[in-house]
Amino acid sequence: MSTKRLDILERTMLLTAVAQIAALLLHDLGRDPAGHPLQVSVVNALMLQLPLYLSALGGQGMVWALAAMRWPRARLIIDPLGAIIATIVIVLTQVDLGMQRFRGERLSLNHLTLYGSTDVADSDWIRPVLDMPGVLATALMLLVGTLLLLWHPWRPGGAVPRHLRSFRTPLLYAVVALAGQVPGQIAFDHQRVLALSPQESLLRDALNPPAPLSPAEQQAALADLRRAIDPRGRGGWRTAAYPLWRSSDFRSVPGAGMARQDPPDIILFTIESLRGRDVGWGFAPRTTGASVTPHLDSLARASVTFPHWIAGGEPSPRGFVTLHNGAWEHGRGFIIANFPEVRVDVLPQRLRTAGYRTMAIWGGNPSFDNQLTWARRWYDVLDFELPGNALFYRRTRSDRLVMDRLLAHVAAHDAAHDGTPFFAYVASNGTHTPYVLDDGEAPAARDVSGSTLRDTSPSMSRQARYDRVLRNVDAQIGRVIAVLRQRPRWRNTVVIVTGDHADRTDEAADPEWTGMPTDAQIATAALISGPDVLVGSPRAITMPVSHTDLLPTVLGWLGDTSSVTTLGRSVFDTVAQAAREVVSINSRGVRLDRGGYSLIVATDDPRRYRAWRAFTGERPIALPLAATPFAADDPARLLQRVRYWSFLVEHNQVRPAW
């Protein structure tokens, strides 16, 4: 049917939907300048994006239809106003998706302010667009063509169509608006943030702005946070524009600078949902015969272990950010999705500057939660694709295949880059819920000795299922270690094993604190194996440490004394252990560990808190603050620190440009 025969409302909504869907397809089927797909699986992305985009249009159409019914004589105003709004939505869609393609970030209210200034003409903004003229031309053709169809011929006013004389039309739009929200409610928060239509994303920003911090609150929070970061009071703060950017000092850390002349190869195994209570070196280890991680336990006996290592947050996107950036998560949102433009210190980027070749290998889909946007900036090699997943993500990679890919990349590196150190980030996925053992092409999962890992009488217990998949990834990493030991550079290889976060299995939890960063959610152990000159003799370090401490640890080895913004300290910096603090953040709460105790505070209410001995399970005995290392004002101060850090992230005041 020709759009000329449609009512103005119908025609406008139809063309807006066509413009947005076409723009989405252009984006999701596209590739970045390096040739990597913007979406690993287009169908999966569209299954979330399309309903949310149509939902926003449904709400828009409902308001327009109700206005036309309520004020029929004002259609000379209502119709052009609706078309103007539709025009703005179409333009915002192209700008938002263009931002995501060229800069890896969503359009925000801050950007709308920037577009009114001369800063947008900066080459940092213009160059990525000019590098892909074909994409720019296609987007402009789509934009101009849609707007021409929308506005010509234009005949506002006239009699109210019959279908706008009843509530049938606005009701239909309301159904579309509500139904389109269903997939978004099922998805994770960070996935929904990325899939929202630009009009809904901007509206949410406008209706839910961050709580402002007065100058006095900022100064108090800054002073408190600086004391926590720099307990020795050495200072070195660089500039007021970036209040936490400071001169680094690793001279007091064992092994500092010892890798400057001969940098080690570094492999970081990030095991999905690694529970610190279920590994042999964790905070509640099983007996030797009952351990399901014999290979990692064997490696741990020759390593430095950290039974009280906690993740910087959960779910996985928070673990990804805190491991890489050495910084906290945002207090309310996800840095990975909400603030991908923020400048932070990054471990692989630092290592590239030091001459490393960097590679990242995933078992899951890194585009679902925007990991690819970040990783494209940092890594020389990205390995995540499976044949058959290009349009629809049908299955993840087995842990066996992930480790096969790692070994292949190490072999290729040794052949082509002899003498160049490498950093490998290896994110397994086999231990993800629902803990189903899937070893790809292998008919049955086997460990390196050939013993089968399949239980002949599988239990429905979550813990039993978790044990099986954990035993499998243990066997696969054990296989990799056995191969790496044959390399000449094994004596100068650092292996780090930790989890992106932990997870709950069969523990009985306190309902009041469900979803908070308790042991079950974020207590994930870690080990570091490497040359004695860097890590020292095998031992257990029981002070609290976290993801944020990894970056300063590695920089210490390399003697990198350039300015940093990390909120962590080297794991080998054992001075003033009693004052050592680590923080973990998720959507519902903030956790502070100090001196063997944990303090958990609800994100929205500093009066709702609980303190207990750390690592004592999901139903610990609550203690008065006076019986812990925490002061009476620590709950409020903790939230204020996180608010201030979030303020710096929101205003991109973490560090200057690289």
Side-chain angles (χ1 to χ4, degrees), residues 215 218-219 222-223 226 236-247 343 565 644 647-648 651-656:
Q218 292 182 41
Q219 289 302 315
L222 173 59
R226 281 180 170 178
W237 310 104
R238 298 292 305 276
T239 171
Y242 301 96
L244 298 182
W245 194 43
R246 70 189 191 281
S247 301
R343 293 187 296 269
T565 55
Y644 180 69
F647 169 85
L648 295 180
H651 292 81
N652 206 353
Q653 289 184 263
V654 177
R655 64 155 293 148

Side-chain angles (χ1 to χ4, degrees), residues 3 11 15 144-153:
T3 58
R11 171 179 157 189
L15 288 172
V144 172
T146 306
L147 294 181
L148 287 176
L149 286 173
L150 176 63
W151 283 99
H152 181 77

Side-chain angles (χ1 to χ4, degrees), residues 383-458:
D383 191 326
F384 53 86
E385 298 178 62
L386 263 180
N389 280 349
L391 290 178
F392 183 74
Y393 204 87
R394 297 182 298 170
R395 62 189 180 92
T396 59
R397 282 171 157 180
S398 68
D399 290 341
R400 176 180 290 275
L401 179 56
V402 169
M403 301 310 160
D404 285 346
R405 297 302 302 155
L406 170 62
L407 291 175
H409 283 296
V410 171
H413 174 86
D414 289 346
H417 304 278
D418 187 31
T420 301
F422 72 83
F423 170 71
Y425 171 74
V426 186
S428 69
N429 194 74
T431 43
H432 198 290
T433 55
Y435 313 135
V436 176
L437 187 62
D438 174 16
D439 205 52
E441 295 116 327
R446 296 179 180 275
D447 67 14
V448 291
S449 66
S451 301
T452 183
L453 300 180
R454 285 198 187 279
D455 190 342
T456 55
S457 57

Side-chain angles (χ1 to χ4, degrees), residues 335-355:
I335 288 179
I336 198 169
N338 299 91
F339 308 101
E341 74 280 7
V342 68
R343 293 187 296 269
V344 289
D345 274 307
V346 184
L347 178 58
Q349 196 163 349
R350 287 273 193 167
L351 291 174
R352 288 173 81 176
T353 302

Side-chain angles (χ1 to χ4, degrees), residues 39-41 44-45 190-191 194 365-371 393:
Q39 291 288 352
V40 173
S41 48
N44 295 82
H190 55 276
Q191 295 173 334
L194 294 169
N365 183 344
S367 69
F368 280 169
D369 49 21
N370 214 34
Q371 290 186 30
Y393 204 87

Side-chain angles (χ1 to χ4, degrees), residues 13 16 40 65 80 115 127 129 153 170 203 320 354 359 363 421 504 534 545 551 590 601 616 629:
M13 299 307 298
T16 305
V40 173
Y115 286 142
R127 187 181 298 111
V129 179
L203 181 62
F320 177 84
M359 59 185 77
R504 187 184 310 282
L534 299 182
V545 288
L551 184 143
V590 180
V601 188
T616 52

Side-chain angles (χ1 to χ4, degrees), residues 587-603:
S587 300
R588 295 194 59 193
V590 180
R591 170 170 167 163
L592 173 66
D593 276 54
R594 180 198 299 157
Y597 291 82
S598 297
L599 171 68
I600 295 184
V601 188
T603 302

Side-chain angles (χ1 to χ4, degrees), residues 523-534:
T524 180
L527 66 81
I528 300 179
S529 168
D532 287 350
V533 69
L534 299 182

